[in-house]
Amino acid sequence: MSEKKPLRVLFCMGINQNFMDAPREEQLDVWAAFGEMWNGIHDMEGVEVIGNMDDDQSMVGPSPGYPWTTYLLADVADYDTVCACCNLFRSTVVGETPYKLWRYAKVEARIGRELIVQRA
């Protein structure tokens, strides 16, 4: 019997207009919440982060979709764990506000598998 392979997942994350419109102190709270979410993905059981890419120097303004603000590539044990990672946007509190991270940022998980190309 073959070993179950993890899902190759590209978490595509975008910052929205609410972040851009927020006062500086609120933006700093959002950044702290983003870090909590980011570390939460890294620390989640069943997730092996492979790498990330941030194009904030060449992309200015909100990201309602592609191209996204930042990307995180990971091998994830199963679909439920992918959903748990995405749910961090719904559950991570921003500072002392009543808001969660998804007010300021969004995530889309692209799920696939590792492409293996054999040498001729």
Side-chain angles (χ1 to χ4, degrees):
M1 181 178 251
S2 67
E3 180 182 327
K4 183 178 175 186
K5 299 233 184 238
L7 303 171
R8 181 63 49 102
V9 182
L10 182 63
F11 293 97
C12 307
M13 303 173 195
I15 299 299
N16 68 33
Q17 191 64 46
N18 288 334
F19 176 80
M20 303 299 169
D21 293 341
R24 181 69 178 147
E25 287 302 313
E26 190 173 333
Q27 288 178 337
L28 293 173
D29 287 342
V30 172
W31 181 240
F34 194 90
E36 182 180 336
M37 171 278 302
W38 189 267
N39 292 326
I41 291 174
H42 278 76
D43 296 340
M44 191 167 294
E45 186 175 337
V47 176
E48 180 185 345
V49 174
I50 298 167
N52 66 71
M53 186 190 87
D54 190 9
D55 61 356
D56 67 329
Q57 292 183 326
S58 60
M59 162 116 180
V60 178
S63 310
Y66 178 82
W68 298 92
T69 307
T70 191
Y71 305 83
L72 189 147
L73 182 64
D75 281 340
V76 182
D78 53 41
Y79 182 75
D80 288 342
T81 305
V82 174
C83 293
C85 290
C86 292
N87 196 51
L88 291 170
F89 281 77
R90 293 185 189 99
S91 61
T92 304
V93 177
V94 174
E96 299 297 318
T97 73
Y99 306 122
K100 306 294 192 296
L101 186 57
W102 69 330
R103 176 180 175 89
Y104 306 93
K106 65 186 284 183
V107 63
E108 180 179 308
R110 303 290 311 202
I111 302 171
R113 60 190 176 101
E114 179 182 11
L115 176 62
I116 298 173
V117 179
Q118 302 296 323
R119 290 193 174 267

